Amino acid sequence: MIGVVGAGSFGTAIANLIAEKSEVLLYVRDPEKAQSIIKNRVSSNQKLSDKITVTIDIEEIATKCNVLFPIVPSANFRKLMTQLAPFLKPYHMLIHGTKGLDINSSIEITKENPLSRNHVRTMSEVILEETCVVRVGCLAGPNLASEIDKKYPAATVVASAFEEVIDTGQKLLKNDRFLVYGSSDLIGIELCGVLKNIIAIGAGAISGKGLGENAKALLISRGMVEMIHIGRVLGGNINAFLGLAGVGDLVATCTSNLSRNYTVGYRLAQGENLKEISESMEEVAEGVNTINIVKALADTYKIRVPITESLYKILRGDMTVDESHQYFMKFPFSPEIDFI
Amino acid sequence: MRPIVLIKKRDTPRKVYKPILKDSNSWPVVQMSKKRDEFVKLVLEESYENLVDQPRGRTLREELEMTTYREKMRIKDNPWKVDPKDDYDFWNNIQVKLVESETLEKEDAIKVQNGLLKEITARYADEIAGKFKPSSFRFVRNIVTMGFARLLNTARVRGPWSLLSNQLDLDDKIDITGHPNELRKLARQGTIVMVPTHFSNLDSVLIGWVIQFLGLPPFIYGAGLNLWNLKIFAYFMNSVGAYKLDRRKKNPIYLETLKTYSTIALREGCHSLFFPGGTRSRSGKIEKALKLGLLGTAIEAQRQIYQSETTEEGKKLFIVPVTINYHFVLEAPSMVNDYLKLKGQERYYVENDEFTTSFKISKFLMKFFTRGSGISVTIGKGMDVLGNYVDENGSSIDKQGQIIDPRDYFKTDGIITEDKQREQQYNRILGKKLVKEFHKNNRVFSSHLLAFTAFRMIGKKHEKLDLYSLLRLSDEDSIISYQDLYDHVKIVYNQLEVLKESGEVGFASHLTEDIDVIIQHGLKNLGMYHAQPPLAKLKSKDIKIENMNLLYFYHNRLVGYGLEKLFK
């Protein structure tokens, strides 16, 4: 039996994908939500496969499943891992699908010791930090949940330092309309999924202002460069960004109004503020938190991240979307590509 | 001149550890040596199987051709005294047979080539295993139990320094701290893999002494074949269970045989010793990226033990990191030169060559043991093969403090499986953990603190210079005022104290709070027997840097703790 932890839209989509081949145990944290899913067999607007059993017992999912897919918002990820840790054993395999960053609060952030890579954790690093599990991997790629639900063709990347984790991920997820690539660059692939959310918010803002496709393409390609610069500081290498999880996911999230992060940008451009937007959204847009973290990191490492920086100001209400695009048109981008 | 010895004789007698296994016949290493032929045969069989099984992107013929070619080159370019007389004939013969095999039918050719592979593996296995003589073991055990000190005393008598009075016993010079009792306990329950830092050729001798002092049965370890060139070393190592490790041979057949040897020995319960850096740390830095080759055999052996057990009775392997600290490393001048040459390439040229010539290790030993110099050996906490700490019962404890079963690391769907790639990753995890432990167990010596501070002060003063220009500073640029030094030592000391509080480093027992005393002690001990010690005190009380390279070498001992930022 395979475990999926978290019944958000992506978690549900992955659970349904796996259920095409295996029995699935789906962990839902909120008992009320679990009740309603059990009753209606619908989770995050997706019909649930018959092979999925819903549980609210975290111990059950750890003892019954050797392979777990944690897919919960990054803000809850560490807490979930500490709850799961007592029941996890070194034989477990964890392949997460969360696209956010975590700050390890045990290391103090001071003026002399500003936010740096020492404080920031990817989700796989949180797993290694909080549990005894070592066979860790992640899922990333252009995987809009509602399209997976509609059974449209798509592909994903499973990344892990362990070949057996990649093999397991492929075995469980692959079918005739879903391709699974493997990568050994776990950190790089995780960063792709995390950083693209920043650019997606920007792309949404451009659409919300109706600035056209040229402008959006400009943002996407410059965004890609920015992602690579940040990624390098955080220990990712370029190759990952040029693949399915990098440019692939970036294009999908920046052009589809199905993406949450895109929606945040779109509504910002329409004049709403962040508070209003967050309150009315069902699920968390990871990009917002990522922007805050990356902005602080860029300050520490003194790298230029104009897109992240203006989005940071827009989110805080210090800049309007209109002002930002004027700022961009004057920005001195000299060499176009300087990282290869 | 009489050496300055600051470590006084102990007032209270040192604790004496009784042997944990009284009957030497029960020592795994004795068992192994008694069955040497069987053992070598087993090594041959298993490495042969592994070599045939694993595809390496070459045909067997290509593999054999390459090996033969390299071996012949080695014999021609780099012959050693210990090499067997028939070395050339052997490889020539292999080459002839290999060429002949090509005229045969394919099947027959493969048969011949497999035979050649077996022949080579057998030769390697026999060479690696060394020549233990069971009959001489009693004698050897006596030497071990009598202790090194005695052996070295004999050497002393003949040595030029033997007339010096006031010689200290080895016990008084070596300070053992950390978890020796835990180590003794673990050695009764399982198989120990001791992993020390490596700065000096003395390390293997020192560790040998520590092992017998703690009452542990002898360990086996892979010692560089070059050490067998020296009679005194060869004698000693044949007796404590050293096997031979030839760094000139880097071909896959040799490496496989070597790994198999180590794996089987561990599987059979022989306590083993690995120097994970592979070689002495040329720069004086604590190993950062460990050479993981032989360490991986611990993981493999553990998995094999678990695979072959019927109930859960299989012995556990315990990894024990050991950090060794010296005020003085005799090889430092030549090693740091090697290091700088390697790193700097053409930017670095050696101005003064007197120390780069090799010197006799035996002379070095004599010098070392007849003169006093503080040594500290820190026995780290025991860990399982994944780097989890173990409690005193040998159970692995995870980060949450829960007991975990290491078997689970090797399981897929409930069954223990062999997965080379997985074990490579585990090896990496263990390597990282060891590096961390080395830093934690490192003990700050006054001399290292002084060297670090002085070197960084000069570096700060000449911020624009790179390392190589810094090392060639002129005389007038290399004087540090005492007060300035005092202030900086204090800053570094305070930061080190913070690190010590959080368990990231330890302090040597001689390290007092009084900065003046630290400086005095450091000055007296820092590289005390080099022809030209790194630092000298001027009449004005100020400090002059006499040898920048050596200062750099000793300074490196405190690199890796983020102390550099104190000098920005």
Side-chain angles (χ1 to χ4, degrees), chain A residues 66-67 85-93 127-135 161-164 171, chain B residues 386 388 398-400 402-406 408-414 417 419 421-423 425-426 429:
Chain A
N66 294 340
V67 182
F87 314 111
L88 289 174
K89 299 275 185 275
Y91 60 72
H92 276 108
M93 240 181 239
I127 298 174
L128 294 174
E129 208 163 67
E130 296 292 345
T131 77
C132 63
V133 175
V134 283
R135 284 174 263 179
F162 292 87
E163 277 168 17
E164 63 173 324
K171 209 174 71 204
Chain B
L386 263 288
N388 297 302
D398 77 357
K399 285 161 231 141
Q400 280 67 42
Q402 304 177 93
I403 291 183
I404 47 172
D405 184 351
D408 287 343
Y409 285 107
F410 300 99
K411 280 183 185 167
T412 314
D413 292 326
T417 51
D419 182 335
Q421 198 270 342
R422 178 207 289 161
E423 283 168 27
Q425 292 303 321
Y426 286 175
I429 293 173

Side-chain angles (χ1 to χ4, degrees), chain B residues 124-143:
Chain B
Y124 283 154
D126 190 60
E127 176 196 297
I128 292 165
K131 304 268 187 274
F132 304 126
K133 282 184 205 125
S135 59
S136 70
F137 228 94
R138 185 172 298 275
F139 173 62
V140 161
R141 188 202 54 179
N142 283 340
I143 292 174

Side-chain angles (χ1 to χ4, degrees), chain B residues 81-136:
Chain B
K81 223 162 74 187
V82 283
D83 291 336
K85 299 257 179 316
D86 66 341
D87 228 10
Y88 185 82
D89 294 339
F90 175 84
W91 289 106
N92 213 25
N93 184 30
I94 297 275
Q95 196 176 33
V96 169
K97 283 187 192 159
L98 190 60
V99 173
E100 279 172 7
S101 77
E102 279 162 45
T103 61
L104 299 172
E105 292 290 319
K106 204 180 167 196
E107 257 173 50
D108 292 331
I110 288 177
K111 240 184 222 164
V112 172
Q113 286 159 10
N114 278 334
L116 292 176
L117 176 63
K118 231 175 203 164
E119 235 180 282
I120 296 173
T121 316
R123 185 179 177 87
Y124 283 154
D126 190 60
E127 176 196 297
I128 292 165
K131 304 268 187 274
F132 304 126
K133 282 184 205 125
S135 59
S136 70

Side-chain angles (χ1 to χ4, degrees), chain B residues 225-427:
Chain B
L225 188 62
N226 50 326
L227 296 180
W228 259 268
N229 284 327
L230 290 141
K231 281 239 169 76
I232 175 169
F233 262 70
Y235 172 78
F236 172 72
M237 282 180 303
N238 273 332
S239 58
V240 290
Y243 55 92
K244 291 170 188 165
L245 202 149
D246 189 345
R247 288 200 188 87
R248 296 170 304 171
K249 298 179 180 126
K250 288 192 164 54
N251 67 72
I253 303 177
Y254 180 77
L255 295 177
E256 183 61 44
T257 316
L258 185 64
K259 279 187 184 177
T260 308
Y261 182 93
S262 171
T263 308
I264 297 177
L266 284 166
R267 208 173 65 200
E268 298 300 316
C270 288
H271 301 312
S272 301
L273 176 67
F274 295 137
F275 289 108
T279 176
R280 286 166 295 160
S281 168
R282 295 289 193 271
S283 64
K285 289 178 195 164
I286 297 179
E287 286 85 350
K288 245 203 182 138
L290 298 179
K291 267 196 195 163
L292 301 168
L294 278 179
L295 198 58
T297 61
I299 294 169
E300 189 167 350
Q302 182 71 85
R303 191 245 310 141
Q304 287 183 4
I305 291 169
Y306 287 151
Q307 264 179 324
S308 61
E309 67 190 1
T310 41
T311 54
E312 297 201 340
E313 86 296 347
K315 268 204 171 181
K316 197 164 170 177
L317 264 62
F318 299 112
I319 315 287
V320 179
V322 172
T323 311
I324 306 172
N325 273 310
Y326 303 100
H327 279 301
F328 164 70
V329 176
L330 193 72
E331 306 106 304
S334 60
M335 289 204 301
V336 72
N337 266 349
D338 284 354
Y339 172 78
L340 292 169
K341 258 191 266 181
L342 197 72
K343 288 276 154 176
Q345 311 202 336
E346 76 285 352
R347 276 195 300 160
Y348 182 76
Y349 60 92
V350 187
E351 287 174 8
N352 185 346
D353 225 20
E354 66 177 303
F355 275 105
T356 55
T357 55
S358 65
F359 48 82
K360 288 270 185 291
I361 295 166
S362 47
K363 205 170 174 185
F364 156 43
L365 276 179
M366 205 89 78
K367 223 171 172 181
F368 192 90
F369 283 99
T370 47
R371 300 165 168 202
S373 177
I375 302 172
S376 118
V377 177
T378 313
I379 314 282
K381 271 192 192 170
M383 311 189 290
D384 66 14
V385 290
L386 263 288
N388 297 302
Y389 290 132
V390 295
D391 64 14
E392 56 174 17
N393 303 316
S395 305
S396 305
I397 307 292
D398 77 357
K399 285 161 231 141
Q400 280 67 42
Q402 304 177 93
I403 291 183
I404 47 172
D405 184 351
R407 286 174 187 82
D408 287 343
Y409 285 107
F410 300 99
K411 280 183 185 167
T412 314
D413 292 326
I415 300 158
I416 292 173
T417 51
E418 177 180 350
D419 182 335
K420 289 257 170 277
Q421 198 270 342
R422 178 207 289 161
E423 283 168 27
Q424 269 170 23
Q425 292 303 321
Y426 286 175
N427 202 359

Side-chain angles (χ1 to χ4, degrees), chain B residues 25 55 87 161 212 216 241 247 268 273 449 457 469 518:
Chain B
N25 272 321
D87 228 10
W161 305 100
Q212 77 84 21
L216 303 170
R247 288 200 188 87
E268 298 300 316
L273 176 67
L449 172 53
M457 284 172 75
S469 324
I518 291 178

Side-chain angles (χ1 to χ4, degrees), chain B residues 506-522:
Chain B
F507 278 10
S509 46
H510 67 252
L511 208 69
T512 60
E513 273 177 35
D514 189 332
I515 302 295
D516 282 313
V517 174
I518 291 178
I519 296 177
Q520 290 314 320
H521 191 267

Side-chain angles (χ1 to χ4, degrees), chain A residues 224-340:
Chain A
M224 174 86 178
V225 175
E226 192 163 311
M227 280 167 67
I228 290 172
H229 286 311
I230 306 163
R232 272 185 162 179
V233 166
L234 293 174
N237 70 53
I238 299 169
N239 299 15
F241 290 91
L242 301 179
L244 189 67
V247 72
D249 198 4
L250 183 65
V251 170
T253 19
C254 287
T255 52
S256 159
N257 50 16
L258 299 170
S259 145
R260 285 192 290 275
N261 293 292
Y262 178 93
T263 309
V264 170
Y266 191 90
R267 290 171 62 178
L268 280 169
Q270 300 274 319
E272 290 181 68
N273 68 34
L274 183 61
K275 194 162 168 257
E276 293 162 1
I277 300 169
S278 330
E279 277 168 2
S280 66
M281 279 179 83
E282 263 177 49
E283 289 183 45
V284 186
E286 291 281 1
V288 175
N289 186 37
T290 306
I291 286 173
N292 291 330
I293 295 176
V294 169
K295 162 73 171 61
L297 284 172
D299 289 347
T300 307
Y301 292 105
K302 301 192 172 49
I303 50 170
R304 288 200 324 184
V305 287
I307 300 173
T308 311
E309 213 173 295
S310 358
L311 287 169
Y312 175 79
K313 287 182 189 154
I314 293 171
L315 288 176
R316 286 167 52 106
D318 295 345
M319 191 190 238
T320 66
V321 177
D322 287 324
E323 280 164 2
S324 80
H325 92 247
Q326 282 160 18
Y327 165 76
F328 269 107
M329 294 323 278
K330 286 179 194 151
F331 198 86
F333 288 111
S334 36
E336 196 206 350
I337 300 289
D338 54 2
F339 52 82
I340 291 180

